[in-house]
Amino acid sequence: SFADRLAAERRAELPTLALVVRADVQGSLEAIEQIIEGVRSSKIHTKVISTGVGAITEGDVKLAASARQSGTNVRPAIFGFGVKAAGKVATLADSESIPICSSKIIYELGEQLQKLMLDQLEPTYVEHPIGRAEVRKTFPTSHGVVCGCRVVSGKITRTAGVRVIRGGEIVKHGKIASLRIVDRDVREVLDGHE
């Protein structure tokens, strides 16, 4: 139906964590699948591409690596409960940048899954305005432009990001290279100072 196709398209746009799951016994495998089902997010899709009982093998790593071909937002990972990576599997997984999450405690796999999901998301940046300054005069130099400013509200700190606004439009984004009062280097300039 149309609703199913629309939902599938939305999932395709989301970052996807493609999982290969291995366990020591069938009962553990079912418990891990339930944990994976329980860890949900509206911002990331989790898809189990293979399950099995026994050690983590090179075939599991190759299968996980092939999951990347299904989209640019796909990150593969291998989860193992009570099993180890056999032979040179860990080296192969490292070379393919595929994390192997293994544990003998089942809830730890849920925590590792949550961590992988968080790593997959883009960071959110929040802006906190701390002050405003008025540019009084500009001085062109060989290193850029030096602005002579007066702080009109709050404070300006040396580590702050800045936006130059002229006529209501942003004309420049950047970072403060240095902050001075006359000839003194300072960490911050408070309201009313130049």
Side-chain angles (χ1 to χ4, degrees):
S1 77
F2 178 72
D4 292 337
R5 282 190 302 200
L6 187 61
E9 284 178 19
R10 284 193 183 126
R11 277 196 307 274
E13 293 171 3
L14 292 176
T16 300
L17 199 53
L19 303 174
V20 174
V21 182
R22 304 292 281 180
D24 53 356
V25 294
Q26 187 65 33
S28 298
L29 190 60
E30 291 167 2
I32 295 167
E33 288 177 311
Q34 286 179 346
I35 284 178
I36 292 169
E37 288 283 324
V39 180
R40 298 236 176 236
S41 171
S42 61
K43 296 180 180 180
I44 188 165
H45 178 64
T46 305
K47 179 180 176 182
V48 176
I49 57 174
S50 175
T51 61
V53 174
I56 299 167
T57 64
E58 286 184 26
D60 295 326
V61 175
K62 291 176 182 175
L63 179 63
S66 70
R68 283 193 185 112
Q69 296 173 355
S70 62
T72 56
N73 280 344
V74 177
R75 179 180 182 196
I78 299 173
F79 274 70
F81 177 74
V83 294
K84 297 273 183 193
K88 297 180 182 177
V89 175
T91 307
L92 177 62
D94 275 348
S95 70
E96 293 283 345
S97 298
I98 297 172
I100 296 178
C101 302
S102 186
S103 180
K104 290 184 179 184
I105 302 171
I106 205 153
Y107 72 84
E108 284 181 358
L109 289 176
E111 291 171 355
Q112 290 174 359
L113 176 60
Q114 287 175 334
K115 183 181 180 313
L116 281 175
M117 291 171 79
L118 286 174
D119 290 347
Q120 186 81 349
L121 296 175
E122 292 291 322
T124 303
Y125 297 100
V126 179
E127 194 173 277
H128 298 285
I130 58 170
R132 276 187 66 226
E134 231 174 50
V135 176
R136 300 290 186 146
K137 191 167 184 176
T138 58
F139 307 94
T141 68
S142 60
H143 302 293
V145 178
V146 174
C147 296
C149 302
R150 178 175 188 81
V151 180
V152 293
S153 67
K155 65 181 178 180
I156 305 298
T157 62
R158 189 183 329 183
T159 58
V162 294
R163 242 182 296 171
V164 178
I165 301 172
R166 186 179 301 137
E169 289 192 32
I170 299 170
V171 294
K172 180 82 175 157
H173 283 277
K175 283 252 182 219
I176 295 174
S178 72
L179 196 60
R180 295 170 176 252
I181 295 180
V182 188
D183 288 336
R184 277 184 308 138
D185 267 337
V186 293
R187 288 192 177 144
E188 67 181 26
V189 179
L190 300 174
D191 186 4
H193 292 90
E194 291 189 10

Short mmCIF file of all heavy atoms in Angstrom, two decimals, residues 71-107:
data_model
loop_
_atom_site.label_atom_id
_atom_site.label_comp_id
_atom_site.label_asym_id
_atom_site.label_seq_id
_atom_site.Cartn_x
_atom_site.Cartn_y
_atom_site.Cartn_z
N GLY A 71 23.26 1.33 1.22
CA GLY A 71 23.01 2.76 1.42
C GLY A 71 24.15 3.45 2.12
O GLY A 71 24.96 2.82 2.79
N THR A 72 24.20 4.77 1.97
CA THR A 72 25.28 5.55 2.57
C THR A 72 25.09 5.74 4.07
O THR A 72 26.05 5.99 4.78
CB THR A 72 25.37 6.94 1.91
OG1 THR A 72 24.10 7.58 2.02
CG2 THR A 72 25.78 6.83 0.46
N ASN A 73 23.86 5.63 4.55
CA ASN A 73 23.58 5.82 5.97
C ASN A 73 23.60 4.52 6.75
O ASN A 73 23.04 4.45 7.83
CB ASN A 73 22.22 6.50 6.17
CG ASN A 73 22.28 7.98 5.95
OD1 ASN A 73 23.36 8.57 5.95
ND2 ASN A 73 21.14 8.60 5.78
N VAL A 74 24.20 3.46 6.20
CA VAL A 74 24.19 2.15 6.85
C VAL A 74 25.53 1.91 7.54
O VAL A 74 26.59 2.05 6.93
CB VAL A 74 23.92 1.03 5.83
CG1 VAL A 74 23.98 -0.33 6.50
CG2 VAL A 74 22.58 1.24 5.15
N ARG A 75 25.45 1.57 8.83
CA ARG A 75 26.65 1.21 9.59
C ARG A 75 26.48 -0.21 10.10
O ARG A 75 25.56 -0.49 10.86
CB ARG A 75 26.85 2.16 10.76
CG ARG A 75 28.08 1.80 11.57
CD ARG A 75 28.29 2.73 12.71
NE ARG A 75 29.50 2.36 13.43
CZ ARG A 75 29.80 2.78 14.63
NH1 ARG A 75 29.00 3.62 15.24
NH2 ARG A 75 30.90 2.39 15.22
N PRO A 76 27.36 -1.13 9.71
CA PRO A 76 27.25 -2.50 10.18
C PRO A 76 27.92 -2.70 11.54
O PRO A 76 28.83 -1.96 11.90
CB PRO A 76 27.98 -3.30 9.10
CG PRO A 76 28.99 -2.35 8.55
CD PRO A 76 28.38 -0.98 8.66
N ALA A 77 27.45 -3.70 12.27
CA ALA A 77 28.04 -4.08 13.55
C ALA A 77 27.74 -5.56 13.80
O ALA A 77 26.78 -6.10 13.26
CB ALA A 77 27.48 -3.23 14.69
N ILE A 78 28.59 -6.18 14.60
CA ILE A 78 28.40 -7.59 14.95
C ILE A 78 28.21 -7.68 16.46
O ILE A 78 28.99 -7.11 17.22
CB ILE A 78 29.60 -8.43 14.50
CG1 ILE A 78 29.76 -8.34 12.98
CG2 ILE A 78 29.44 -9.88 14.95
CD1 ILE A 78 31.02 -9.00 12.46
N PHE A 79 27.16 -8.39 16.88
CA PHE A 79 26.87 -8.59 18.28
C PHE A 79 27.02 -10.07 18.60
O PHE A 79 26.47 -10.91 17.89
CB PHE A 79 25.44 -8.13 18.62
CG PHE A 79 25.37 -6.68 18.93
CD1 PHE A 79 25.55 -5.73 17.94
CD2 PHE A 79 25.13 -6.25 20.22
CE1 PHE A 79 25.50 -4.38 18.23
CE2 PHE A 79 25.08 -4.90 20.52
CZ PHE A 79 25.28 -3.97 19.53
N GLY A 80 27.76 -10.37 19.66
CA GLY A 80 27.93 -11.75 20.08
C GLY A 80 27.65 -11.92 21.56
O GLY A 80 28.08 -11.10 22.37
N PHE A 81 26.93 -12.98 21.91
CA PHE A 81 26.66 -13.27 23.31
C PHE A 81 27.26 -14.63 23.65
O PHE A 81 26.88 -15.65 23.07
CB PHE A 81 25.17 -13.28 23.61
CG PHE A 81 24.87 -13.64 25.04
CD1 PHE A 81 25.09 -12.72 26.05
CD2 PHE A 81 24.41 -14.90 25.38
CE1 PHE A 81 24.85 -13.04 27.37
CE2 PHE A 81 24.17 -15.23 26.70
CZ PHE A 81 24.39 -14.30 27.70
N GLY A 82 28.23 -14.62 24.55
CA GLY A 82 28.85 -15.85 24.98
C GLY A 82 29.73 -16.49 23.91
O GLY A 82 30.05 -17.67 23.98
N VAL A 83 30.09 -15.73 22.88
CA VAL A 83 30.94 -16.24 21.79
C VAL A 83 32.08 -15.27 21.55
O VAL A 83 31.99 -14.09 21.88
CB VAL A 83 30.15 -16.45 20.47
CG1 VAL A 83 29.12 -17.55 20.64
CG2 VAL A 83 29.50 -15.16 20.01
N LYS A 84 33.14 -15.77 20.98
CA LYS A 84 34.31 -14.95 20.65
C LYS A 84 34.47 -14.92 19.14
O LYS A 84 33.91 -15.73 18.41
CB LYS A 84 35.57 -15.57 21.27
CG LYS A 84 35.56 -15.62 22.78
CD LYS A 84 36.08 -14.35 23.34
CE LYS A 84 36.13 -14.45 24.87
NZ LYS A 84 36.32 -13.21 25.49
N ALA A 85 35.28 -13.98 18.68
CA ALA A 85 35.64 -13.91 17.27
C ALA A 85 36.71 -14.97 17.00
O ALA A 85 37.73 -15.01 17.66
CB ALA A 85 36.15 -12.52 16.93
N ALA A 86 36.46 -15.84 16.03
CA ALA A 86 37.38 -16.94 15.73
C ALA A 86 38.56 -16.47 14.88
O ALA A 86 38.39 -15.63 13.98
CB ALA A 86 36.63 -18.05 15.00
N GLY A 87 39.76 -17.00 15.15
CA GLY A 87 40.95 -16.73 14.33
C GLY A 87 41.27 -15.27 14.15
O GLY A 87 41.38 -14.52 15.11
N LYS A 88 41.42 -14.86 12.90
CA LYS A 88 41.81 -13.48 12.57
C LYS A 88 40.60 -12.58 12.32
O LYS A 88 40.71 -11.55 11.69
CB LYS A 88 42.70 -13.49 11.33
CG LYS A 88 43.99 -14.25 11.54
CD LYS A 88 44.82 -14.23 10.28
CE LYS A 88 46.09 -15.03 10.49
NZ LYS A 88 46.89 -15.10 9.28
N VAL A 89 39.45 -12.99 12.83
CA VAL A 89 38.21 -12.26 12.58
C VAL A 89 38.26 -10.83 13.14
O VAL A 89 37.82 -9.89 12.49
CB VAL A 89 37.01 -13.04 13.16
CG1 VAL A 89 35.72 -12.24 13.02
CG2 VAL A 89 36.88 -14.37 12.46
N ALA A 90 38.81 -10.67 14.34
CA ALA A 90 38.88 -9.33 14.95
C ALA A 90 39.72 -8.38 14.11
O ALA A 90 39.36 -7.21 13.93
CB ALA A 90 39.43 -9.43 16.37
N THR A 91 40.82 -8.89 13.56
CA THR A 91 41.68 -8.06 12.70
C THR A 91 40.94 -7.66 11.43
O THR A 91 41.01 -6.51 10.99
CB THR A 91 42.97 -8.84 12.34
OG1 THR A 91 43.57 -9.28 13.54
CG2 THR A 91 43.94 -7.97 11.57
N LEU A 92 40.23 -8.62 10.82
CA LEU A 92 39.45 -8.33 9.62
C LEU A 92 38.37 -7.30 9.91
O LEU A 92 38.17 -6.36 9.14
CB LEU A 92 38.84 -9.62 9.06
CG LEU A 92 37.94 -9.48 7.84
CD1 LEU A 92 38.74 -8.91 6.65
CD2 LEU A 92 37.32 -10.82 7.47
N ALA A 93 37.68 -7.46 11.06
CA ALA A 93 36.62 -6.50 11.43
C ALA A 93 37.20 -5.10 11.64
O ALA A 93 36.61 -4.11 11.21
CB ALA A 93 35.91 -6.97 12.69
N ASP A 94 38.38 -5.01 12.26
CA ASP A 94 39.05 -3.71 12.44
C ASP A 94 39.37 -3.08 11.10
O ASP A 94 39.16 -1.88 10.90
CB ASP A 94 40.34 -3.87 13.25
CG ASP A 94 40.10 -3.83 14.75
OD1 ASP A 94 38.97 -3.46 15.15
OD2 ASP A 94 41.04 -4.16 15.49
N SER A 95 39.89 -3.87 10.19
CA SER A 95 40.27 -3.32 8.87
C SER A 95 39.04 -2.86 8.09
O SER A 95 39.12 -1.96 7.26
CB SER A 95 41.07 -4.35 8.07
OG SER A 95 40.24 -5.42 7.66
N GLU A 96 37.89 -3.47 8.35
CA GLU A 96 36.64 -3.08 7.69
C GLU A 96 35.86 -2.02 8.49
O GLU A 96 34.77 -1.63 8.09
CB GLU A 96 35.74 -4.31 7.48
CG GLU A 96 36.29 -5.33 6.51
CD GLU A 96 36.11 -4.92 5.07
OE1 GLU A 96 35.32 -3.98 4.78
OE2 GLU A 96 36.77 -5.53 4.21
N SER A 97 36.42 -1.60 9.65
CA SER A 97 35.76 -0.65 10.55
C SER A 97 34.38 -1.14 10.99
O SER A 97 33.41 -0.38 11.00
CB SER A 97 35.65 0.73 9.90
OG SER A 97 36.92 1.23 9.63
N ILE A 98 34.32 -2.41 11.36
CA ILE A 98 33.07 -3.00 11.84
C ILE A 98 33.27 -3.34 13.32
O ILE A 98 34.09 -4.18 13.66
CB ILE A 98 32.70 -4.26 11.04
CG1 ILE A 98 32.47 -3.88 9.58
CG2 ILE A 98 31.47 -4.94 11.63
CD1 ILE A 98 32.28 -5.04 8.66
N PRO A 99 32.51 -2.68 14.21
CA PRO A 99 32.66 -2.99 15.63
C PRO A 99 32.10 -4.37 15.95
O PRO A 99 31.07 -4.77 15.42
CB PRO A 99 31.87 -1.89 16.32
CG PRO A 99 30.90 -1.39 15.30
CD PRO A 99 31.55 -1.62 13.97
N ILE A 100 32.81 -5.09 16.82
CA ILE A 100 32.31 -6.35 17.35
C ILE A 100 32.00 -6.11 18.82
O ILE A 100 32.89 -5.81 19.61
CB ILE A 100 33.33 -7.49 17.20
CG1 ILE A 100 33.59 -7.77 15.72
CG2 ILE A 100 32.84 -8.74 17.91
CD1 ILE A 100 34.63 -8.86 15.47
N CYS A 101 30.73 -6.22 19.18
CA CYS A 101 30.29 -6.04 20.55
C CYS A 101 30.00 -7.43 21.10
O CYS A 101 29.11 -8.11 20.61
CB CYS A 101 29.04 -5.17 20.60
SG CYS A 101 29.25 -3.55 19.88
N SER A 102 30.77 -7.83 22.10
CA SER A 102 30.62 -9.17 22.65
C SER A 102 30.54 -9.09 24.16
O SER A 102 31.23 -8.28 24.78
CB SER A 102 31.82 -10.02 22.22
OG SER A 102 31.63 -11.35 22.63
N SER A 103 29.69 -9.93 24.75
CA SER A 103 29.54 -9.92 26.20
C SER A 103 28.99 -11.25 26.68
O SER A 103 28.39 -12.00 25.90
CB SER A 103 28.61 -8.78 26.62
OG SER A 103 28.46 -8.77 28.02
N LYS A 104 29.17 -11.51 27.96
CA LYS A 104 28.54 -12.67 28.59
C LYS A 104 27.38 -12.23 29.46
O LYS A 104 26.73 -13.05 30.09
CB LYS A 104 29.58 -13.44 29.42
CG LYS A 104 30.61 -14.13 28.57
CD LYS A 104 31.55 -14.95 29.40
CE LYS A 104 32.55 -15.64 28.49
NZ LYS A 104 33.45 -16.52 29.22
N ILE A 105 27.15 -10.92 29.51
CA ILE A 105 26.03 -10.36 30.28
C ILE A 105 25.09 -9.72 29.26
O ILE A 105 25.45 -8.77 28.57
CB ILE A 105 26.51 -9.33 31.32
CG1 ILE A 105 27.51 -10.01 32.27
CG2 ILE A 105 25.33 -8.75 32.08
CD1 ILE A 105 28.22 -9.06 33.20
N ILE A 106 23.87 -10.23 29.19
CA ILE A 106 22.98 -9.89 28.09
C ILE A 106 22.57 -8.41 28.07
O ILE A 106 22.50 -7.80 27.00
CB ILE A 106 21.76 -10.83 28.07
CG1 ILE A 106 21.19 -10.90 26.67
CG2 ILE A 106 20.73 -10.45 29.09
CD1 ILE A 106 20.48 -12.16 26.36
N TYR A 107 22.34 -7.80 29.24
CA TYR A 107 21.91 -6.39 29.24
C TYR A 107 23.02 -5.46 28.76
O TYR A 107 22.76 -4.36 28.27
CB TYR A 107 21.35 -5.96 30.60
CG TYR A 107 22.38 -5.81 31.69
CD1 TYR A 107 23.11 -4.64 31.83
CD2 TYR A 107 22.62 -6.85 32.58
CE1 TYR A 107 24.06 -4.51 32.83
CE2 TYR A 107 23.57 -6.72 33.58
CZ TYR A 107 24.29 -5.56 33.70
OH TYR A 107 25.23 -5.42 34.68
#
